[in-house]
Amino acid sequence: MSGLKFSRRVLLRDGCNLVVAGAFLSGARSHGAETRSVCVDLTASESNPSLRESLNFTEESPYPEKLCSGCAYFVPEDGTPPCGGCQIFSGPTNAGGYCDVWSPKSS
């Protein structure tokens, strides 16, 4: 052996540090994605940031088949793709977004 000694304490400490660092980096990355906005400043009061947050609105849908552009509440705007409007909350809305009240457009 090369003289390296491992104890359970060291392995547990380093393992916990690794898990915490991974969780922090993952959370920071997803938080950055949620706060980035193509169509609207989500901190502006006219965009209803608290309503968007309570409905778990995201600029990029985690469900490829459930995009704002395919939602019954989405109103496309001419000349501003990928932006449109939403009948649930005011302010511009990204056509590629998603929230918990997503409902398919009727045929």
Side-chain angles (χ1 to χ4, degrees):
M1 288 274 250
S2 63
L4 293 175
K5 292 186 179 183
F6 293 100
S7 69
R8 281 183 282 176
R9 180 177 295 171
V10 170
L11 289 174
L12 285 172
R13 182 195 68 211
D14 291 348
C16 288
N17 288 341
L18 183 62
V19 169
V20 169
F24 175 78
L25 291 174
S26 175
R29 182 181 59 196
S30 66
H31 178 69
E34 291 171 3
T35 58
R36 178 187 61 79
S37 178
V38 173
C39 299
V40 67
D41 176 8
L42 295 178
T43 61
S45 61
E46 64 271 7
S47 69
N48 292 332
S50 61
L51 180 58
R52 289 176 188 249
E53 185 177 332
S54 69
L55 297 175
N56 297 310
F57 175 77
T58 61
E59 285 287 319
E60 295 180 26
S61 177
Y63 311 102
E65 70 283 359
K66 293 182 178 181
L67 303 174
C68 286
S69 60
C71 178
Y73 301 113
F74 184 76
V75 181
E77 293 181 8
D78 293 332
T80 59
C83 301
C86 178
Q87 297 172 359
I88 302 296
F89 44 79
S90 62
T93 303
N94 185 348
Y98 170 82
C99 79
D100 290 344
V101 295
W102 186 91
S103 180
K105 287 184 180 181
S106 57
S107 304

